[in-house]
Amino acid sequence: MTTTVMWFRRDLRLADSPALRAAVDGATAGVVPLFVLDPALWGPAGPNRRAYLAASLSDLGKRIGGWQLRCGDPVKEVVSVARAAEASTVHIAADFGPYGRERDKQVQRALAEHGIDLVRTGSPYAVAPGRVTKPDGSPYAVYTPFWRAWTDHGWRAPVAAPQSVDWIRPLTSVDLPAGEPAAGTALPPAGEQAARRRWRDFLDDGVNSYGEDRDRPDRDRTSRMSVHLKWGEIHPRTMLADLARRRGDSVRTYRQELAWREFYADVLWQRPDSARGYLRPQFAAMRYARAGSQLETWAAGRTGFPIVDAGMRQLRSEGWMHNRLRMIVASFLVKDLHVEWQHGAQHFLHWLVDGDLSSNNHGWQWVAGSGTDASPYFRVFNPVSQGKKFDPGGDYVRRHVEELAGVAGGAVHEPWTLPGGVPNGYPEPMVDHKAERVEALARYDEVKGS
Ligand SMILES: Cc1cc2nc3c(=O)[nH]c(=O)nc-3n(C[C@H](O)[C@H](O)[C@H](O)COP(=O)(O)OP(=O)(O)OC[C@H]3O[C@@H](n4cnc5c(N)ncnc54)[C@H](O)[C@@H]3O)c2cc1C
């Protein structure tokens, strides 16, 4: 009679989970549904991600009749649960982040001392980081060739959820954490079924116009699947299999977006130092401003640039921000305020429900110009023209910036030009964008080519 442990991490689902299938197939006496609340991850997660995780754990816990939930150092907790269950194997989906990789190596060593195997099956990606390489075996540093090679590589078909599982819990569990989001933040419904519903809705009414709508925050028509992908409530292969049954440019564009997530995971896997450090080292030598009150003004959505403030306020009210806004506000912090990207990335990771180290920190480096190819440093977003182009009627700004709710049309992007001046309570622009652009380019010239 064999018992196995399924150590859930970023795979809070039953369907299309190869690791879970391996755990179930390897067990004749039962499977332990283990989740470890690791203070090293729980601590920095921020209230929104903690609350969402608690809700997702609660949802899956109800479906499997309760967790084996432990709190503490995974090395100690996984070993003690596996030993108590007299398990021969602990099953996981591989983690490719810098912390997770190291943690898993340590857990593997500790388990091996007791003759227990750590078995990695699958990953949170359609294609595991490191698999897609150039013909000479070196990694891609540029997205478009990665995307082509990733498409050519292909991925396995989804696997079904196991039919029935004999879940066992050899030790006492800690209580599920009470997770409350930040005051005033409304989080989306959590769990595998919520993810499936959201995905079906998007397939029915969204994916066909995605190419046209995705850059329009006023329309709010992106899939909002990022949070479900973050926690593995759905696997990207499941989504790709559904997309494969559809045709059209929008479907292709959506697949390309999923590939960005895979690309950044690959880049981070190849260069774990780029989680906090510059992918292109010469940028470390650039002159930056000390992060102080300007960072706070930006974070509070009080810059006086309506599109920037709307984005920062959406982050606080929803724990999520539209992709176009993530780019605009990141550019503003780095190039108008000259603050290093790491400060903004940290702020995002504190508040985002979908906060993900590779997508976030490489998204920031991309905007900062220090990351993968596509966005050169000298491309500085103009917050007014970005607002006019992507929120032409001003609806997005009015939705999030209440002081400007009474300003009609696209004029909301330049409140300082209104006949009565800037509406009461809304700040004047904190900087002169034109001047800061020149300053940013001068700073860039100093390190360019170094
Ligand atoms: C500065 C910055 C920080 C970001 N931080 C994160 C983060 O912490 N977590 C996160 O999941 N995404 C992050 N992104 C990427 C992107 O903004 C979000 O994935 C997207 O806005 C999520 O909304 P959606 O699910 O409706 O996206 P959709 O437009 O519906 O896209 C579908 C899916 O494709 C993937 N995707 C789309 N765009 C990107 C991208 N540029 N990079 C990587 N994956 C992408 C996501 O998994 C997304 O759910 C960041 C982008 C930038 C510029």
Side-chain angles (χ1 to χ4, degrees), residues 238-314:
T238 305
M239 297 163 68
L240 288 161
D242 289 334
L243 294 171
R245 288 188 277 275
R246 289 155 193 269
R247 295 278 164 271
D249 288 348
S250 274
V251 170
R252 180 185 152 89
T253 305
Y254 192 84
R255 208 183 287 123
Q256 285 173 332
E257 295 308 313
L258 289 176
W260 273 106
R261 175 177 178 270
E262 309 243 334
F263 175 56
Y264 284 150
D266 190 80
V267 175
L268 185 62
W269 186 75
Q270 308 287 353
R271 285 278 309 274
D273 61 301
S274 68
R276 311 271 180 247
Y278 288 87
L279 190 74
R280 297 199 221 167
Q282 73 265 34
F283 280 84
M286 201 148 105
R287 283 187 296 122
Y288 294 102
R290 204 179 58 80
S293 61
Q294 83 287 49
L295 177 67
E296 284 163 25
T297 305
W298 171 84
R302 302 275 306 159
T303 67
F305 288 93
I307 195 78
V308 174
D309 295 339
M312 298 310 295
R313 295 186 196 190
Q314 181 177 34

Side-chain angles (χ1 to χ4, degrees), residues 55 197 201 313 316 423:
R197 266 197 308 276
D201 288 350
R313 295 186 196 190
R316 294 301 300 273

